[in-house]
Amino acid sequence: MHLQDLVFRTGAAVLVAAGLAACTTPQPPGRPGLHIPPPVQQPQAMFIRPASGTTIARFDGVRNKGLDIAGNAGDPIVASADGRVVYVGGELRSYGNMVIIKHNETFLTAYAHAQTILVKENAVVRQGQKIAEMGKSDADRVKVHFEIRKNGTAVDPEPYLSGRLQQ
């Protein structure tokens, strides 16, 4: 009986060893095998979308220096990134009531056509914090006009919102 037990255990050990070797031995080229790719890391976007509505106009650098996002009166407008509010007002022609946030020495974001503004100049805001409510001040419809300015120049927000551009 001991001999059968020894043979059984030896056979089982050989099978386990062969199984482990098969798992750790690289497959020859051209031969299909189990391949689990590493998880794809999505780049972290520097900015988030300031409103959840549909994009109704995109950046073209001439007529539109940002994105226009549709919504309903009173829908939230949120800070796209952490920063300090540097402007609150309605003096800029064709922007209506707006908020401008300085994020660092390079980037500013602007949020135009607000119905209600919930922050004051010099306030520190966090990404995702509600800063205003959507409206149609100086606009043909309810929307938020959103701009990202890099060193004072309007840039296409889409690559920054998707994470394709970081600086």
Side-chain angles (χ1 to χ4, degrees), residues 47-66:
F47 297 96
I48 63 169
R49 210 170 150 81
S52 61
T54 304
T55 299
I56 53 175
R58 295 193 184 285
F59 177 89
D60 66 18
V62 179
R63 289 184 320 274
N64 194 349
K65 305 254 186 209

Side-chain angles (χ1 to χ4, degrees), residues 69-127:
I69 303 169
N72 297 308
D75 282 355
I77 299 171
V78 301
S80 194
D82 295 352
R84 180 175 302 279
V85 178
V86 294
Y87 176 82
V88 170
E91 292 83 23
L92 295 172
R93 196 172 141 261
S94 76
Y95 283 88
N97 298 324
M98 72 180 298
V99 175
I100 298 176
I101 298 173
K102 181 176 183 176
H103 303 287
N104 53 39
E105 293 305 313
T106 306
F107 289 102
L108 297 171
T109 52
Y111 312 78
H113 306 303
Q115 162 182 286
T116 306
I117 295 175
L118 305 171
V119 292
K120 305 272 186 221
E121 285 184 20
N122 292 318
V124 173
V125 295
R126 307 303 272 163
Q127 185 176 57

Side-chain angles (χ1 to χ4, degrees), residues 5-29:
D5 191 31
L6 179 64
V7 170
F8 176 74
R9 286 176 186 246
T10 303
V14 168
L15 286 175
V16 168
L20 287 173
C23 289
T24 58
T25 303
Q27 294 287 332

